[in-house]
PDB file of all heavy atoms in Angstrom:
ATOM      1  N   THR A  42       7.745   1.212  14.715  1.00 98.00           N
ATOM      2  CA  THR A  42       7.100   0.068  15.377  1.00 98.00           C
ATOM      3  C   THR A  42       8.077  -0.448  16.439  1.00 98.00           C
ATOM      4  O   THR A  42       9.272  -0.111  16.397  1.00 98.00           O
ATOM      5  CB  THR A  42       6.843  -1.079  14.372  1.00 98.00           C
ATOM      6  OG1 THR A  42       8.103  -1.419  13.774  1.00 98.00           O
ATOM      7  CG2 THR A  42       5.855  -0.688  13.301  1.00 98.00           C
ATOM      8  N   GLN A  45      11.411  -1.890  15.177  1.00 98.00           N
ATOM      9  CA  GLN A  45      12.348  -0.916  14.586  1.00 98.00           C
ATOM     10  C   GLN A  45      12.750   0.188  15.578  1.00 98.00           C
ATOM     11  O   GLN A  45      13.251   1.243  15.176  1.00 98.00           O
ATOM     12  CB  GLN A  45      11.754  -0.330  13.299  1.00 98.00           C
ATOM     13  CG  GLN A  45      11.710  -1.372  12.176  1.00 98.00           C
ATOM     14  CD  GLN A  45      11.120  -0.852  10.882  1.00 98.00           C
ATOM     15  OE1 GLN A  45       9.898  -0.749  10.733  1.00 98.00           O
ATOM     16  NE2 GLN A  45      11.967  -0.525   9.928  1.00 98.00           N
ATOM     17  N   HIS A  70      -2.653  -1.161  10.909  1.00 90.00           N
ATOM     18  CA  HIS A  70      -4.007  -0.602  10.737  1.00 90.00           C
ATOM     19  C   HIS A  70      -4.263   0.675  11.563  1.00 90.00           C
ATOM     20  O   HIS A  70      -5.380   1.148  11.649  1.00 90.00           O
ATOM     21  CB  HIS A  70      -5.108  -1.637  11.031  1.00 90.00           C
ATOM     22  CG  HIS A  70      -5.001  -2.899  10.200  1.00 90.00           C
ATOM     23  ND1 HIS A  70      -4.839  -2.878   8.831  1.00 90.00           N
ATOM     24  CD2 HIS A  70      -5.010  -4.216  10.547  1.00 90.00           C
ATOM     25  CE1 HIS A  70      -4.765  -4.120   8.380  1.00 90.00           C
ATOM     26  NE2 HIS A  70      -4.858  -4.953   9.402  1.00 90.00           N
ATOM     27  N   GLY A  96       7.517   1.007   7.871  1.00 98.00           N
ATOM     28  CA  GLY A  96       6.585   0.668   6.805  1.00 98.00           C
ATOM     29  C   GLY A  96       5.286   1.442   6.942  1.00 98.00           C
ATOM     30  O   GLY A  96       5.212   2.461   7.642  1.00 98.00           O
ATOM     31  N   GLY A  97       4.236   0.904   6.303  1.00 98.00           N
ATOM     32  CA  GLY A  97       2.947   1.580   6.287  1.00 98.00           C
ATOM     33  C   GLY A  97       2.359   1.792   7.678  1.00 98.00           C
ATOM     34  O   GLY A  97       1.616   2.759   7.891  1.00 98.00           O
ATOM     35  N   SER A  98       2.679   0.928   8.624  1.00 97.00           N
ATOM     36  CA  SER A  98       2.118   1.086   9.975  1.00 97.00           C
ATOM     37  C   SER A  98       2.663   2.340  10.645  1.00 97.00           C
ATOM     38  O   SER A  98       1.919   3.097  11.276  1.00 97.00           O
ATOM     39  CB  SER A  98       2.438  -0.140  10.837  1.00 97.00           C
ATOM     40  OG  SER A  98       1.837  -1.275  10.277  1.00 97.00           O
ATOM     41  N   THR A 119      10.543   2.056   4.837  1.00 98.00           N
ATOM     42  CA  THR A 119      11.437   0.886   4.817  1.00 98.00           C
ATOM     43  C   THR A 119      10.743  -0.352   4.241  1.00 98.00           C
ATOM     44  O   THR A 119      11.288  -1.446   4.287  1.00 98.00           O
ATOM     45  CB  THR A 119      11.974   0.578   6.228  1.00 98.00           C
ATOM     46  OG1 THR A 119      10.857   0.235   7.071  1.00 98.00           O
ATOM     47  CG2 THR A 119      12.717   1.759   6.821  1.00 98.00           C
ATOM     48  N   THR A 120       9.508  -0.177   3.750  1.00 98.00           N
ATOM     49  CA  THR A 120       8.834  -1.254   2.997  1.00 98.00           C
ATOM     50  C   THR A 120       8.369  -0.640   1.676  1.00 98.00           C
ATOM     51  O   THR A 120       8.678   0.516   1.385  1.00 98.00           O
ATOM     52  CB  THR A 120       7.584  -1.818   3.736  1.00 98.00           C
ATOM     53  OG1 THR A 120       6.551  -0.825   3.730  1.00 98.00           O
ATOM     54  CG2 THR A 120       7.899  -2.229   5.164  1.00 98.00           C
ATOM     55  N   THR A 127       0.730   9.145  -0.329  1.00 98.00           N
ATOM     56  CA  THR A 127      -0.715   9.346  -0.478  1.00 98.00           C
ATOM     57  C   THR A 127      -1.308  10.245   0.608  1.00 98.00           C
ATOM     58  O   THR A 127      -0.799  10.292   1.721  1.00 98.00           O
ATOM     59  CB  THR A 127      -1.496   7.995  -0.426  1.00 98.00           C
ATOM     60  OG1 THR A 127      -1.711   7.615   0.949  1.00 98.00           O
ATOM     61  CG2 THR A 127      -0.778   6.885  -1.149  1.00 98.00           C
ATOM     62  N   ILE A 129      -3.998   9.488   1.991  1.00 97.00           N
ATOM     63  CA  ILE A 129      -5.026   8.552   2.486  1.00 97.00           C
ATOM     64  C   ILE A 129      -4.603   8.029   3.859  1.00 97.00           C
ATOM     65  O   ILE A 129      -3.425   7.720   4.087  1.00 97.00           O
ATOM     66  CB  ILE A 129      -5.168   7.352   1.520  1.00 97.00           C
ATOM     67  CG1 ILE A 129      -5.489   7.843   0.105  1.00 97.00           C
ATOM     68  CG2 ILE A 129      -6.229   6.376   2.000  1.00 97.00           C
ATOM     69  CD1 ILE A 129      -5.333   6.764  -0.967  1.00 97.00           C
ATOM     70  N   LYS A 138     -12.347  -0.652  10.491  1.00 83.00           N
ATOM     71  CA  LYS A 138     -11.345   0.131   9.779  1.00 83.00           C
ATOM     72  C   LYS A 138     -12.053   1.159   8.891  1.00 83.00           C
ATOM     73  O   LYS A 138     -12.906   0.806   8.080  1.00 83.00           O
ATOM     74  CB  LYS A 138     -10.434  -0.775   8.944  1.00 83.00           C
ATOM     75  CG  LYS A 138      -9.220  -0.023   8.441  1.00 83.00           C
ATOM     76  CD  LYS A 138      -8.099  -0.916   7.966  1.00 83.00           C
ATOM     77  CE  LYS A 138      -6.977  -0.056   7.389  1.00 83.00           C
ATOM     78  NZ  LYS A 138      -5.900  -0.816   6.800  1.00 83.00           N
ATOM     79  N   LEU A 157      18.130   1.080   3.959  1.00 98.00           N
ATOM     80  CA  LEU A 157      17.215   0.669   5.021  1.00 98.00           C
ATOM     81  C   LEU A 157      16.307  -0.476   4.591  1.00 98.00           C
ATOM     82  O   LEU A 157      15.656  -1.103   5.426  1.00 98.00           O
ATOM     83  CB  LEU A 157      16.344   1.850   5.479  1.00 98.00           C
ATOM     84  CG  LEU A 157      17.074   3.074   6.015  1.00 98.00           C
ATOM     85  CD1 LEU A 157      16.077   4.069   6.573  1.00 98.00           C
ATOM     86  CD2 LEU A 157      18.078   2.691   7.088  1.00 98.00           C
ATOM     87  N   THR A 160      17.300  -4.906   4.951  1.00 97.00           N
ATOM     88  CA  THR A 160      16.960  -5.833   6.041  1.00 97.00           C
ATOM     89  C   THR A 160      15.520  -6.341   5.949  1.00 97.00           C
ATOM     90  O   THR A 160      15.107  -7.163   6.757  1.00 97.00           O
ATOM     91  CB  THR A 160      17.105  -5.123   7.405  1.00 97.00           C
ATOM     92  OG1 THR A 160      16.340  -3.894   7.340  1.00 97.00           O
ATOM     93  CG2 THR A 160      18.556  -4.804   7.727  1.00 97.00           C
ATOM     94  N   LEU A 165       8.545 -10.786   3.218  1.00 98.00           N
ATOM     95  CA  LEU A 165       7.825  -9.513   3.370  1.00 98.00           C
ATOM     96  C   LEU A 165       8.109  -8.582   2.194  1.00 98.00           C
ATOM     97  O   LEU A 165       7.233  -7.807   1.768  1.00 98.00           O
ATOM     98  CB  LEU A 165       8.220  -8.863   4.705  1.00 98.00           C
ATOM     99  CG  LEU A 165       7.411  -7.662   5.185  1.00 98.00           C
ATOM    100  CD1 LEU A 165       5.917  -7.940   5.148  1.00 98.00           C
ATOM    101  CD2 LEU A 165       7.836  -7.266   6.602  1.00 98.00           C
ATOM    102  N   HIS A 255      -1.897  -7.224   6.179  1.00 94.00           N
ATOM    103  CA  HIS A 255      -2.197  -6.317   5.058  1.00 94.00           C
ATOM    104  C   HIS A 255      -1.594  -6.759   3.718  1.00 94.00           C
ATOM    105  O   HIS A 255      -2.315  -7.017   2.750  1.00 94.00           O
ATOM    106  CB  HIS A 255      -1.701  -4.915   5.435  1.00 94.00           C
ATOM    107  CG  HIS A 255      -1.891  -3.904   4.374  1.00 94.00           C
ATOM    108  ND1 HIS A 255      -3.073  -3.228   4.177  1.00 94.00           N
ATOM    109  CD2 HIS A 255      -1.047  -3.445   3.418  1.00 94.00           C
ATOM    110  CE1 HIS A 255      -2.949  -2.409   3.148  1.00 94.00           C
ATOM    111  NE2 HIS A 255      -1.730  -2.515   2.677  1.00 94.00           N
TER     112      HIS A 255
HETATM  113  P1  NAD B   5       4.329  -2.696   8.494  1.00 72.35           P
HETATM  114  O1  NAD B   5       4.635  -1.255   8.442  1.00 72.35           O
HETATM  115  O2  NAD B   5       3.356  -3.159   9.541  1.00 72.35           O
HETATM  116  O3  NAD B   5       5.666  -3.520   8.619  1.00 72.35           O
HETATM  117  C1  NAD B   5       5.634  -4.918   8.860  1.00 72.35           C
HETATM  118  C2  NAD B   5       6.739  -5.312   9.831  1.00 72.35           C
HETATM  119  O4  NAD B   5       7.986  -5.208   9.164  1.00 72.35           O
HETATM  120  C3  NAD B   5       6.825  -4.380  11.046  1.00 72.35           C
HETATM  121  O5  NAD B   5       7.136  -5.163  12.170  1.00 72.35           O
HETATM  122  C4  NAD B   5       7.996  -3.474  10.692  1.00 72.35           C
HETATM  123  O6  NAD B   5       8.630  -2.932  11.828  1.00 72.35           O
HETATM  124  C5  NAD B   5       8.890  -4.420   9.921  1.00 72.35           C
HETATM  125  N1  NAD B   5       9.780  -3.751   8.979  1.00 72.35           N
HETATM  126  C6  NAD B   5       9.481  -2.705   8.176  1.00 72.35           C
HETATM  127  N2  NAD B   5      10.521  -2.400   7.417  1.00 72.35           N
HETATM  128  C7  NAD B   5      11.539  -3.236   7.737  1.00 72.35           C
HETATM  129  C8  NAD B   5      12.876  -3.408   7.277  1.00 72.35           C
HETATM  130  N3  NAD B   5      13.373  -2.667   6.289  1.00 72.35           N
HETATM  131  N4  NAD B   5      13.627  -4.365   7.852  1.00 72.35           N
HETATM  132  C9  NAD B   5      13.098  -5.176   8.809  1.00 72.35           C
HETATM  133  N5  NAD B   5      11.836  -5.081   9.282  1.00 72.35           N
HETATM  134  C10 NAD B   5      11.063  -4.114   8.745  1.00 72.35           C
HETATM  135  O7  NAD B   5       3.757  -3.234   7.092  1.00 72.35           O
HETATM  136  P2  NAD B   5       3.407  -2.510   5.725  1.00 72.35           P
HETATM  137  O8  NAD B   5       2.879  -3.579   4.858  1.00 72.35           O
HETATM  138  O9  NAD B   5       4.518  -1.670   5.256  1.00 72.35           O
HETATM  139  O10 NAD B   5       2.227  -1.520   6.108  1.00 72.35           O
HETATM  140  C11 NAD B   5       0.922  -1.983   6.363  1.00 72.35           C
HETATM  141  C12 NAD B   5       0.057  -0.841   6.862  1.00 72.35           C
HETATM  142  O11 NAD B   5       0.140   0.251   5.964  1.00 72.35           O
HETATM  143  C13 NAD B   5      -1.408  -1.205   6.972  1.00 72.35           C
HETATM  144  O12 NAD B   5      -1.936  -0.662   8.159  1.00 72.35           O
HETATM  145  C14 NAD B   5      -2.024  -0.540   5.749  1.00 72.35           C
HETATM  146  O13 NAD B   5      -3.380  -0.222   5.932  1.00 72.35           O
HETATM  147  C15 NAD B   5      -1.164   0.690   5.616  1.00 72.35           C
HETATM  148  N6  NAD B   5      -1.107   1.250   4.249  1.00 72.35           N
HETATM  149  C16 NAD B   5      -1.658   2.481   4.056  1.00 72.35           C
HETATM  150  C17 NAD B   5      -1.627   3.067   2.807  1.00 72.35           C
HETATM  151  C18 NAD B   5      -2.217   4.438   2.623  1.00 72.35           C
HETATM  152  O14 NAD B   5      -2.042   5.051   1.577  1.00 72.35           O
HETATM  153  N7  NAD B   5      -2.890   4.966   3.607  1.00 72.35           N
HETATM  154  C19 NAD B   5      -0.999   2.410   1.738  1.00 72.35           C
HETATM  155  C20 NAD B   5      -0.433   1.152   1.954  1.00 72.35           C
HETATM  156  C21 NAD B   5      -0.490   0.586   3.232  1.00 72.35           C
END
Side-chain angles (χ1 to χ4, degrees):
T42 56
Q45 290 179 281
H70 304 311
S98 298
T119 63
T120 70
T127 83
I129 304 167
K138 192 163 176 185
L157 301 187
T160 52
L165 191 50
H255 178 83

